[in-house]
Structures are given as C-alpha cells and as structure tokens.
C-alpha cells in the first residue's frame, strides 16, 4: 500500500483483516474488545504486517466511526516539519507560514488519529506529544492559547520500544502513555494460514484495478507461496501478486510469474529464453556473486534495505557500505531496487549474520 506522509480520509468501508491463523485471530479479538472504548492502542509488529489495516478496523468499530480518520507517518516527515504537521501553526509563526494551518490533532477532533511509526519521533517532539496526551489540548506554533482536542490515539511501531526506552531513544513516560493496550501482530511467516486468503484478495484487488478477471493460482504457485519466508510480510505478498498479474497476461499464475520459480542456481540461459541469474560464462568472481545476491535480496523485498540485510544475514551498515562503494565505483549494483525484476531468484542466502558481519 502506498501511503503519504499524512492522510485524512472519510470513514473506511469494508475494512476486514484476514484472520485465518490463530495469531491473527487473537489480534482481531483484542482489537474488537478495545474498539468500543476510548483507550489508547499500541500496535507493534514488523513493517508490512498490516498494522494500519487493524487500526482502521478499530476505528470503524468504535463510537468514533462517523468521525474523522487521520493518519500520520512519523517516519516520512523531517523533524523540522513534524511539529507543524501535528499541531498546526498560526500565520507568521515562522518564515513561510503565510496562513494559519490546522494540524492533524485538530483535524482528528472527534475521531481517531493514527501515529504510524511513533518511535521515529525526535525526543523534543516526544515531550510535546506526551503533554497533548495528558492534557488533551494542543498549542499551535505561534499560538497564544491552548486548543482542546478530543482524539482517540492509535500508535504503531516496528521497533522494540522497551529497548528504545533502555537506550534513551524513547521517553519512558511517553512509552507508558502509549502502551495502554498493546496488540502484537505476528509476521506473515508465523501466519501461514493467512497467506493464501491474503494472496487471493490481493490478486482480486489488483485484477479489479487493472480491469481484468482475477486469474487462478496453480498448485505449484500455492506451494511456492506457502514455502516463501516473506521478509517483507503482507506488503511483499501484495507486490508479488500484482507483479504476477502483469506477467501472466491473463493466464494461470505460475511460480515464475511470482518470481518464486524453483531455483536452478547454476543453469545457463536457455535458447530464446530469459537469462539465468548467474553469469553463463566461467570463471565467476566471488565479488560478482555477492553483488548478484544483494541485487536479488533487494528485488525480493521491494528495495527495502533493512529487510534485504536481514534476508542476506548481514548488518544494515554493511549493506549500505557495499552499495555506497559500488555506487562510487559506477557499478550498477542496486538495479533490483530500481525495478529490475529478473527471474529466477537466488537461493541459499545465509539465515543469520556471521560473527565478522555483526556490528
């Protein structure tokens, strides 16, 4: 799902998370229990696990469902803009403030405010957010009086907030204000029962957007989907199905349409066919294989470097350093992140970091 830095939307219709797995059923039950209350909710889980969908589910089933739904991605805006985005500003409050602007808290008055990736807020803004939660009033930048707001807060994070408190990256008092009703969302690899229902829904939605009938998944595609680890979670699954819809051209979805065909690591290009992942000519330099592995990892996770590093079993800093070095040397090492969808994917990536790769 493409999400802007801050969005305000009318009441959502038909928000219903897929919950075939025990883990997701437990999360949905917890969400249904808390929805009728004004309680602050904290949704925690890896990126792409469906935290925003569950947040909208809570809003839709709350007494505030007819009120505004406002979402702010705290990680997508620079710190210099976040305060004005959240709390608004008066005309002339700073250079460029040509008119009064109502902040997201005021926009969400009477409804629900989603603070997506709240752990990314800078410390100075954490203190101001804490005051808003406690006092239920905001101060516009350049304003002269507090403005009361009636907002139900749902926050999300893909980070270990307790560890952030321990290291001083997150205020402990803010953490305890947000951690009133935590709901964990398991990664997709721990929710295998949800994979096929999610895949069929994603395929149907992508087909409808393209004005096509939704194709079926072959038995081999089903097996490939169920065995894939999905480091990018539901977001990765949706990308796979949208990509497959384009590649299949109206036919049945096969593993190679998904980019999950059985790997033939040493296979050369077949006559008239697509080239294999590995270079067809020997010798193959180790550095070249490393670059191909990194390209493939980036392709699998849609260019997300954090997930690619995890898939490769190396540190994020190590991956960044390699990409920077290749970029400075003029080597196009990140082609996969820019949309190069070369099949088939590479296998045999290490499950975890080696001792020398750990920061």
């Amino acid at each position: 799902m493409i999400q802007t830095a801050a969005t305000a939307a009318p009441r959502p219709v038909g928000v219903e998370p897929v919950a075939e797995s025990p883990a997701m059923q437990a999360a949905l039950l917890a969400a249904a229990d808390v929805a009728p209350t004004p309680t602050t909710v904290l949704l925690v889980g890896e990126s792409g696990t469906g935290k925003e969908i569950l947040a909208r589910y809570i809003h839709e089933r709350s007494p505030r469902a007819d009120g505004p739904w406002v979402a702010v991605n705290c990680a997508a805006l620079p710190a210099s803009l976040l305060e004005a985005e959240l709390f608004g500003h008066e005309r002339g409050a700073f250079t460029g403030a040509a008119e009064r602007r109502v902040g997201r808290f005021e926009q969400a008055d009477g409804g629900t405010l989603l603070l997506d990736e709240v752990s990314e807020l800078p410390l100075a803004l954490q203190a101001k957010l804490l005051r808003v939660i406690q006092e239920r009033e905001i101060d516009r930048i350049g304003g002269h009086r507090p403005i009361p707001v009636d907002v139900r807060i749902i926050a999300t994070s893909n980070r270990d907030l307790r560890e952030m408190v321990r290291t001083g990256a997150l205020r402990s008092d803010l953490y305890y204000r947000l951690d009133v009703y935590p709901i964990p969302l398991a990664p997709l690899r721990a929710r295998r029962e949800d994979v096929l229902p999610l895949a069929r829904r994603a395929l149907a939605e992508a087909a409808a957007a393209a004005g096509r009938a939704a194709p079926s998944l072959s038995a081999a595609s089903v097996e490939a989907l169920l065995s894939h680890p999905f480091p990018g979670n539901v977001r990765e699954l949706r990308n796979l199905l949208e990509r497959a819809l384009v590649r299949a051209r109206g036919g049945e979805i096969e593993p190679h349409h998904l980019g999950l065909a059985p790997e033939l690591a040493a296979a050369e290009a077949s006559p008239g066919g697509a080239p294999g992942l590995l270079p067809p000519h020997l010798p193959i330099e180790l550095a070249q294989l490393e670059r191909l592995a990194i390209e493939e990892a980036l392709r699998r996770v849609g260019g997300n470097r954090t997930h690619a590093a995890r898939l490769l079993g190396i540190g994020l800093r190590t991956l960044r350093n390699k990409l920077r070095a290749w970029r400075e040397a003029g080597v196009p090492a990140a082609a996969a992140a820019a949309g190069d969808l070369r099949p088939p994917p590479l296998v045999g990536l290490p499950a975890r970091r080696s001792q020398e790769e750990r920061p």
Side-chain angles (χ1 to χ4, degrees):
M1 177 185 297
I2 298 175
Q3 177 178 307
T4 57
T7 56
R11 176 178 176 176
V13 178
V15 177
E16 190 69 36
V18 170
E20 298 293 328
S21 66
M24 196 60 192
Q25 287 175 3
L28 206 59
L29 180 61
D33 286 343
V34 77
T37 76
T39 300
T40 298
V41 179
L42 178 63
L43 305 177
V44 291
E46 294 180 8
S47 179
T49 50
K51 295 187 291 294
E52 183 175 355
I53 292 292
L54 193 61
R56 295 187 69 147
Y57 175 89
I58 293 170
H59 170 74
E60 176 71 7
R61 282 148 186 81
S62 76
R64 298 171 178 267
D66 290 321
W69 160 266
V70 179
V72 181
N73 187 334
C74 300
L77 288 169
S80 58
L81 298 180
L82 264 172
E83 183 176 1
E85 191 70 39
L86 289 173
F87 308 129
H89 60 75
E90 297 290 348
R91 179 180 179 182
F94 49 83
T95 302
E99 59 185 16
R100 171 189 287 179
R101 177 170 182 174
V102 174
R104 296 295 166 171
F105 269 92
E106 285 184 83
Q107 291 178 24
D109 190 40
T112 302
L113 176 66
L114 173 66
L115 296 175
D116 196 17
E117 304 305 342
V118 70
S119 53
E120 303 306 312
L121 289 175
L123 283 169
L125 203 52
Q126 290 179 25
K128 295 181 179 181
L129 176 60
L130 177 65
R131 180 185 176 279
V132 172
I133 296 174
Q134 292 174 335
E135 305 297 332
R136 296 292 171 178
E137 59 185 26
I138 59 102
D139 292 298
R140 291 197 195 118
I141 299 175
H144 302 291
R145 62 180 179 84
I147 301 170
V149 289
D150 174 23
V151 175
R152 199 261 183 87
I153 293 176
I154 302 177
T156 77
S157 179
N158 62 6
R159 301 179 65 182
D160 185 341
L161 297 186
R162 289 182 180 272
E163 177 63 16
M164 291 186 67
V165 170
R166 189 189 69 80
T167 61
L170 180 69
R171 293 176 59 108
S172 61
D173 46 6
L174 177 59
Y175 169 68
Y176 289 115
R177 281 288 182 178
L178 295 174
D179 192 44
V180 180
Y181 194 86
I183 302 178
L185 273 78
L188 191 54
R189 60 184 173 275
R191 296 159 42 193
R192 290 298 174 186
E193 299 90 342
D194 295 334
V195 170
L196 290 183
L198 283 167
R200 293 188 175 106
R201 174 184 289 187
L203 191 57
E205 290 175 353
R212 302 181 185 179
S216 60
L217 293 164
S218 71
S221 291
V222 169
E223 183 178 353
L225 287 170
L226 291 176
S227 61
H228 186 62
F230 287 107
N233 291 300
V234 180
R235 189 174 294 121
E236 180 189 2
L237 175 63
R238 296 183 67 87
N239 289 345
L240 286 178
L241 270 300
E242 186 171 350
R243 181 188 311 153
L245 181 71
V246 174
R247 289 176 170 176
R249 301 177 182 177
E252 188 175 47
I253 301 295
E254 296 290 350
H256 66 275
H257 297 137
L258 297 163
L260 301 177
E263 290 77 6
L264 301 174
E268 296 185 359
S270 57
L277 180 65
L278 297 182
H281 304 296
L282 295 175
I284 303 173
E285 295 182 359
L286 185 60
Q288 188 178 10
L289 292 178
E290 178 185 60
R291 181 166 63 87
L292 290 171
I294 288 176
E295 284 188 345
E296 176 60 21
L298 286 166
R299 186 195 66 78
R300 285 195 184 189
V301 298
N304 187 304
R305 295 184 181 185
T306 300
H307 294 318
R310 187 179 304 154
L311 185 61
L312 290 161
I314 63 176
L316 178 58
R317 181 180 301 175
T318 300
L319 177 59
R320 285 175 174 166
N321 289 341
K322 290 181 182 296
L323 292 174
R324 184 184 303 112
W326 288 327
R327 186 168 58 250
E328 292 173 353
V331 178
D340 179 5
L341 304 177
R342 252 181 332 179
L346 189 67
V347 291
L349 298 177
R352 47 182 161 177
R353 288 180 284 178
S354 64
Q355 189 68 30
E356 66 214 50
E357 293 287 356
R358 292 175 185 165

